[in-house]
Amino acid sequence: MTYIPHTDADREAMLKAIGVERIEDLFAEVPAENRFPELHLPQGKSEMEVAWEMGGLASVNAAVNEYAVFLGAGAYNHFVPSVINHILLRGEFYTAYTPYQPELSQGTLQAIYEYQSMMCALTGLEAANASHYDGATSLAEAVTLARAHYRGKRKKVIFSPSINPQYRAVARTYHQGSGMKFVGDKGSATIPDLIDMLDEDTALLAVQYPNFFGQIDDFNGLADAVHEAGALLCMVVDPIALGMFKSPGALGADMAVGEGQSLGIPLSFGGPYLGFFTTTMKLVRKIAGRVIGETVDKYGRRAYVMTLRPREQDIRREKATSNICSNQGLMALAASVYLSLVGKSGLRRVAELSYHKAHYAAQQIDALEGFSVDFSKPFFKEFVVQCPKPVAEINDALIEDWGIIGGYDLSKDYAARENQMLIAVTETNTRDEIDTLVEALRELAEA
Amino acid sequence: MTELHIQTNDAPPPLEPLIYELGAPGRVGVNLPEPDVPTADLPDAALLRDEVDLPEVSEQDVVRHFVRLSQLNHAVDTGFYPLGSCTMKYNPKINEDMARLPGFALVHPLQDPETVQGALALMYGLQQWLAEISGMSAVSLQPAAGAHGEFSGILMIRAYHIANGEPHRTKIIIPDSAHGTNPATTSMAGLQAVEIPSDANGDVDLDELRKVCDENVAGMMITVPNTLGVFEAHIKEIVEIVHEAGGLMYMDGANMNAMLGVIKPAELGFDVMHYNLHKTFSTPHGGGGPGSGPVAANDKLRPFLPGPIVDVVEQGDEDTPPLYGFVHPPQSIGPLKAFWGNFGIMVRAYAYIAAQGADGLREVTRHAVLNANYIRVALKGTYPMPFDRFCGHEFVCEGHWKDAPGIHALDISKRLMDYGIHPPTNYFPLIVPEALLIEPTETESKESCDNFIEAMLKIAEEAHENPELLHEAPHVTPVGRVDEVRAAKQLNLCCRPVSHE
């Protein structure tokens, strides 16, 4: 039997000790008419057969190690140093549970404490939690924090329309029963437009930085206006961009949330990823999820432990602001290892490489007949291209004829953005790949 | 190390320096290439920061640091982990390899579905298998954890009543033995948790249940077998009472390891439930996550599932495989997270179910229940037990004795560490005093169970003869008991001063 060590002699001895004849006798309290139903599943397979079957399924997918990829929109093909996978495969890390018993979990606890410290450094805020499920649920929990902060009395949330559409949708799913109402993101509101929407009922204003279109908005006066209205400011950020751009803390944000997948986590068809969440010490007691703090053990030795526990669901039950329990702890470890490896200078380097390559690609594409790039604001590693034909059509040709996974079709989320492609370029894209993309687009425009 | 940790007072040195205490200015742990494109002008300096305060360490510094940290952990791979309600079973290694196949690990979630048919076929297959295991009619793999699955299910119940013109149905009935996530989920969905007591046998008190079942009931959340480890004696009656009142039944699937091939939740009358792939289906707990908490529904609730889910969008034939794609359930509560769920965890669970097959899964449950009852019977005369009946895959005993004053479940838990065993879940369920919730799982051998029994019996002796040994425990772990009060009062969540440059 697979992964079950019992021998016939073991079973016999154990049943005798329990005082029953057969294992079936232990299920006497299960309604007899429903007991032991047929399961229509395939026969169990040997390890070899499992590997064959799954290898077959994997092989039909177009993986980014065989294609040039210019698709981003919330998940990015950044470089993942080899060390990370080797650390994640330490059984002591990945087969451990939540560190409720600090004496047996100092490894996990210290690694997460270091993760919190590095996320604080990155975002310029003072406190981080041990992770959420992904960037989208981090934003939803920012709304939860704002709601709790105002004890449900302020009900309005202002979302910039240039926040990732999926994130906005997830926040709405989360809050369909909480009484919060969402405004601001139905049209094409600018930052000043969003500021105009602030009022006494506003709990939170959220923007994305760089925004969904890769651009850096002008946030001058934003934080002051939000705080004057008595509300909180949340920024959805790309952690790689924070290697070169000013931190949300420096811009006056009360919370910075986002997707940590770029920090050493593979694309993996959308998950598991890493929702990060940082805030101020003033708000930390309203933060959802696990938080690791430094302390000492009984000998006075430095040690780490889960803290601010009374906020959490297992203690506070129906009064907890969030039900989160399992998080993405191992992915936070990946981010710790990544940020340690790249360090102070390497993160800047990854950011600048992405920036330079994206700008090279943008200039080349903008020079093509029929294509134009939106240069109206500074951008980081993604940019919007107005194309001469539907994006889906271009992408079909790119993958079939050129081995290229093209950019994101913005018309899927923004009806006004017909024929607009969001292109992402990272340090993993070579000049050769970029030149091939440019050549492909040139030919496609002419075809 | 930039500085030696010289003891300046009585405090012993840290077990492992912080990563920030290692390395030297200018050191880098990864070698990145020079730009192969002409460089662009950087944006206005006003938009840029000076530097990020990150560590400066070599690759080897990083490897040694994290390997040394890992060695401070107890894990399933290092020893017995009988943590009730968590199902800390062995995590098969092939699952890790499968999740790392480039065709799974290196695929972008927004690629054209036609380029990811293998990934979609896997998700579709897993949806079908999970539905078959529970008897439900459809599954959404999107929730990222058990609590996330619960949240989906309760939002679905809410949406169902609203769609039926009964928005006043806002009460969710929850037994007092429930996981904390149940009431927290209910509040998060904007509904009211109504707690009802258990009876002397650990079952739901039917009279109390009838009392709260009125026209405002939205549904009931219940764990099967319940968190005391027992199959509710009147489960079908409970379902009937709630259904008659117009409520829906939610099953918390945390304890599915006691149900595989033994009973299908849908056949008991449940309308919606979640699975924990990281419990029942062997995917690792990762030190707290990532997990995966798919939600399943019967015909009544399937239109409300969070989406998208995978379906066949073009039937295949003998020569061509079917074409899979994402579809949105017609009355979906909406997306619960970005993209499609924790796909890498789905791959691991798929590998596990494929390896087990129908018969293997039933053996999983049979042996999980065998191990739990074996340990229960062995401890019965020594540790007080609130109920003397067969258990499912876990059971609860009490960690205290009248003739050993001052000994608590916590002391027993800490002393177990000295025997190389992770403590059981303690102080849960809340309705049992000094609770120790013990779940061995099927992957532990008889020797492993015997070793645990022996340690528990020895500790009971120690508790009576040498209680200090327990109060001072653990003695052989990397650190002693930690000061949790200090952690909360002198809040230190970050080792660096934050700069607002």
Side-chain angles (χ1 to χ4, degrees):
Chain A
M1 273 174 294
T2 314
Y3 317 127
I4 298 173
H6 299 65
T7 64
D8 287 341
D10 291 336
R11 271 185 293 272
E12 200 180 316
M14 294 171 86
L15 288 169
K16 199 172 162 206
I18 298 169
V20 294
E21 278 185 17
R22 304 172 314 149
I23 294 182
E24 287 70 23
D25 299 342
L26 300 171
F27 295 93
E29 299 200 31
V30 176
E33 64 279 19
N34 303 108
R35 210 183 294 160
F36 306 126
E38 188 92 18
L39 283 185
H40 299 281
L41 296 175
Q43 283 295 310
K45 291 186 171 65
S46 66
E47 182 168 317
M48 262 193 288
E49 292 165 308
V50 170
W52 291 336
E53 178 185 334
M54 298 189 69
L57 287 172
S59 69
V60 300
N61 301 321
V64 300
N65 59 334
E66 290 173 354
Y67 290 78
V69 59
F70 293 95
L71 183 57
Y76 301 95
N77 188 35
H78 281 289
F79 174 63
V80 179
S82 289
V83 169
I84 297 175
N85 195 34
H86 289 267
I87 299 296
L88 294 195
L89 274 172
R90 295 286 304 187
E92 299 94 325
F93 277 131
Y94 85 85
T95 74
Y97 187 63
T98 305
Y100 286 121
Q101 300 289 344
E103 300 89 345
L104 295 181
S105 320
Q106 284 299 304
T108 295
L109 287 163
Q110 184 171 328
I112 301 298
Y113 175 81
E114 292 175 352
Y115 160 81
Q116 290 175 184
S117 299
M118 290 188 255
M119 294 315 295
C120 288
L122 207 50
T123 57
L125 287 161
E126 298 152 337
N129 73 3
S131 74
H132 284 291
Y133 309 131
D134 66 5
T137 67
S138 286
L139 177 62
E141 295 277 19
V143 177
T144 308
L145 186 153
R147 178 176 180 268
H149 181 65
Y150 298 106
R151 297 195 167 84
K153 285 182 185 130
R154 288 178 174 234
K155 295 194 184 331
K156 188 162 123 183
V157 175
I158 303 172
F159 272 167
S160 158
S162 55
I163 294 176
N164 186 325
Q166 290 200 43
Y167 291 22
R168 289 182 277 124
V170 169
R172 283 185 165 87
T173 304
Y174 262 59
H175 287 275
Q176 59 194 267
S178 79
M180 299 304 275
K181 51 181 193 277
F182 296 84
V183 300
D185 61 334
K186 292 295 184 208
S188 53
T190 61
I191 300 293
D193 296 337
L194 299 176
I195 289 175
D196 285 343
M197 296 174 200
L198 286 162
D199 60 19
E200 283 178 356
D201 193 35
T202 306
L204 183 75
L205 187 151
V207 295
Q208 186 167 325
Y209 167 58
N211 68 27
F212 187 60
F213 311 109
Q215 296 170 324
I216 309 291
D217 285 305
D218 181 0
F219 295 128
N220 249 329
L222 174 64
D224 286 345
V226 172
H227 294 147
E228 265 165 42
L232 299 174
L233 175 63
C234 174
M235 287 188 169
V236 181
V237 290
D238 172 353
I240 299 290
L242 298 184
M244 61 189 282
F245 290 95
K246 270 208 157 41
S247 72
L251 295 170
D254 301 288
M255 287 175 259
V257 303
E259 179 51 67
Q261 176 267 328
S262 295
L263 304 174
I265 298 167
L267 286 166
S268 200
F269 201 45
Y273 288 175
L274 168 67
F276 62 84
F277 196 116
T278 60
T279 187
T280 59
M281 284 307 276
K282 191 179 141 212
L283 294 173
V284 70
R285 283 165 202 280
K286 295 275 169 23
I287 205 170
R290 296 170 184 152
V291 175
I292 311 304
E294 189 179 293
T295 185
V296 293
D297 77 352
K298 64 184 228 184
Y299 308 109
R301 190 194 294 271
R302 188 166 77 190
Y304 300 90
V305 67
M306 287 168 67
T307 192
L308 299 179
R309 292 274 293 124
R311 299 162 299 120
E312 291 191 62
Q313 47 76 28
D314 54 324
I315 296 175
R316 212 161 160 73
R317 299 177 78 85
E318 73 277 5
K319 292 194 183 66
T321 61
S322 171
N323 71 348
I324 189 168
C325 183
S326 282
N327 58 16
Q328 305 283 116
L330 198 69
M331 305 293 105
L333 173 67
S336 286
V337 178
Y338 178 84
L339 289 170
S340 303
L341 283 169
V342 297
K344 192 174 275 189
S345 62
L347 187 67
R348 176 75 176 223
R349 183 119 188 195
V350 170
E352 288 193 1
L353 277 171
S354 302
Y355 177 88
H356 291 311
K357 290 180 185 229
H359 283 71
Y360 172 73
Q363 279 148 17
Q364 302 293 311
I365 293 169
D366 189 56
L368 293 176
E369 191 73 35
F371 292 87
S372 67
V373 171
D374 179 0
F375 286 113
S376 62
K377 291 176 192 168
F379 66 91
F380 173 50
K381 68 182 182 194
E382 283 181 293
F383 55 90
V384 177
V385 181
Q386 185 71 49
C387 304
K389 48 175 80 170
V391 173
E393 208 176 294
I394 295 175
N395 279 340
D396 284 349
L398 283 177
I399 192 149
E400 273 168 36
D401 306 331
W402 298 85
I404 291 173
I405 296 170
Y408 185 70
D409 182 354
L410 286 170
S411 69
K412 285 185 191 173
D413 305 295
Y414 299 88
R417 290 180 176 270
E418 209 183 329
N419 296 357
Q420 289 190 10
M421 183 190 281
L422 180 65
I423 289 185
V425 187
T426 73
E427 77 283 8
T428 63
N429 291 107
T430 62
R431 179 175 186 158
D432 212 32
E433 288 178 356
I434 297 169
D435 290 343
T436 306
L437 171 69
V438 173
E439 185 51 35
L441 293 178
R442 185 200 315 276
E443 288 194 17
L444 287 169
E446 286 164 4
Chain B
M1 212 182 305
T2 48
E3 55 189 298
L4 283 172
H5 286 279
I6 298 162
Q7 278 179 253
T8 51
N9 52 28
D10 291 342
L15 292 165
E16 169 65 16
L18 287 162
I19 189 78
Y20 278 101
E21 294 164 344
L22 296 168
R27 199 171 284 165
V28 188
V30 67
N31 190 7
L32 292 158
E34 293 297 323
D36 59 354
V37 297
T39 55
D41 290 338
L42 290 183
D44 188 343
L47 297 175
L48 302 180
R49 67 198 293 171
D50 285 341
E51 61 177 25
V52 186
D53 181 22
L54 289 175
E56 296 179 278
V57 284
S58 71
E59 179 170 329
Q60 192 183 48
D61 289 336
V62 172
V63 170
R64 284 198 178 144
H65 174 69
F66 285 101
V67 169
R68 285 190 303 238
L69 283 183
S70 78
Q71 291 169 334
L72 304 178
N73 274 359
H74 183 92
V76 173
D77 281 359
T78 69
F80 191 35
Y81 218 129
L83 201 61
S85 92
C86 299
T87 313
M88 299 298 286
K89 65 170 73 179
Y90 174 65
N91 309 122
K93 302 309 160 195
I94 185 185
N95 299 1
E96 296 303 310
D97 291 350
M98 295 300 100
R100 286 168 172 83
L101 291 172
F104 293 139
L106 303 181
V107 180
H108 193 290
L110 296 173
Q111 278 176 229
D112 185 329
E114 293 199 22
T115 70
V116 289
Q117 285 295 304
L120 294 177
L122 182 145
M123 289 176 68
Y124 183 77
L126 185 59
Q127 287 174 190
Q128 301 295 102
W129 289 350
L130 291 174
E132 172 60 22
I133 288 165
S134 64
M136 293 286 173
S137 79
V139 171
S140 168
L141 300 171
Q142 204 178 43
H148 213 206
E150 281 179 32
F151 187 41
S152 310
I154 295 305
L155 286 178
M156 288 162 67
I157 289 175
R158 178 179 177 274
Y160 172 87
H161 290 306
I162 291 173
N164 281 348
E166 296 195 300
H168 58 272
R169 291 191 176 271
T170 56
K171 282 196 339 196
I172 298 284
I173 302 164
I174 298 173
D176 57 4
S177 60
H179 296 119
T181 48
N182 294 179
T185 295
T186 302
S187 300
M188 212 174 150
L191 303 178
Q192 287 86 49
V194 178
E195 192 176 280
I196 56 162
S198 306
D199 68 16
N201 292 320
D203 294 315
V204 165
D205 188 322
L206 294 182
D207 291 332
E208 294 293 330
L209 176 64
R210 283 192 192 92
K211 273 188 219 160
V212 296
C213 272
D214 57 23
E215 69 286 357
N216 294 321
V217 164
M220 177 173 188
M221 292 181 96
I222 189 168
T223 307
V224 182
N226 69 22
T227 58
L228 302 160
V230 297
F231 288 98
E232 292 280 343
H234 310 289
I235 188 68
K236 287 185 138 177
E237 263 181 279
I238 294 170
V239 172
E240 211 176 289
I241 293 168
V242 173
H243 277 166
E244 260 174 34
L248 296 169
M249 287 300 295
Y250 185 89
M251 194 190 89
D252 178 332
N255 291 347
M256 276 295 279
N257 215 41
M259 301 178 82
L260 304 172
V262 167
I263 187 130
K264 294 184 175 180
E267 290 184 5
L268 292 174
F270 284 97
D271 301 288
V272 51
M273 62 169 288
H274 79 267
Y275 314 77
N276 296 79
L277 299 189
H278 48 292
K279 296 179 182 177
T280 318
F281 298 100
S282 85
T283 76
H285 284 71
S292 176
V295 57
N298 60 10
D299 284 337
K300 201 185 273 187
L301 281 177
R302 74 181 283 178
F304 299 92
L305 282 169
I309 61 178
V310 179
D311 207 348
V312 173
V313 292
E314 238 177 79
Q315 291 298 336
D317 55 35
E318 277 173 29
D319 302 321
T320 38
L323 184 70
Y324 298 100
F326 287 113
V327 299
H328 289 271
Q331 292 165 281
S332 175
I333 54 165
L336 250 291
K337 73 187 288 298
F339 310 120
W340 331 122
N342 278 341
F343 177 74
I345 307 303
M346 299 171 205
V347 175
R348 291 168 173 87
Y350 184 99
Y352 180 73
I353 299 173
Q356 295 291 8
D359 294 341
L361 289 179
R362 188 175 287 115
E363 292 305 325
V364 164
T365 288
R366 282 160 43 93
H367 288 83
V369 172
L370 176 68
N371 277 358
N373 278 287
Y374 178 66
I375 295 174
R376 179 183 61 82
V377 167
L379 299 184
K380 197 162 73 176
T382 309
Y383 285 82
M385 290 194 191
F387 322 105
D388 184 15
R389 55 196 275 196
F390 291 135
C391 63
H393 67 315
E394 64 186 357
F395 68 95
V396 62
C397 65
E398 298 177 19
H400 63 153
W401 296 272
K402 283 204 182 80
D403 55 353
I407 292 292
H408 297 280
L410 186 73
D411 303 308
I412 295 164
S413 295
K414 299 299 183 193
R415 182 61 181 153
L416 261 174
M417 297 177 183
D418 290 335
Y419 290 89
I421 294 169
H422 193 282
T425 298
N426 46 45
Y427 299 98
F428 179 82
L430 307 178
I431 58 170
V432 175
E434 302 292 334
L436 291 166
L437 184 61
I438 298 168
E439 177 180 3
T441 85
E442 75 284 358
T443 61
E444 296 299 328
S445 63
K446 178 171 177 292
E447 305 90 271
S448 179
C449 296
D450 286 338
N451 182 50
F452 173 69
I453 292 165
E454 202 181 316
M456 287 292 281
L457 297 180
K458 187 88 197 335
I459 290 170
E461 268 176 46
E462 290 169 354
H464 290 82
E465 288 161 13
N466 188 0
E468 270 317 286
L469 205 52
L470 273 69
H471 289 309
E472 292 300 317
H475 302 273
V476 300
T477 48
V479 296
R481 290 196 196 187
V482 306
D483 189 342
E484 297 184 18
V485 174
R486 172 180 158 139
K489 284 202 166 147
Q490 302 173 30
L491 209 54
N492 171 348
L493 312 176
C494 168
C495 64
R496 306 293 277 189
V498 170
S499 123
H500 276 200
E501 56 87 16

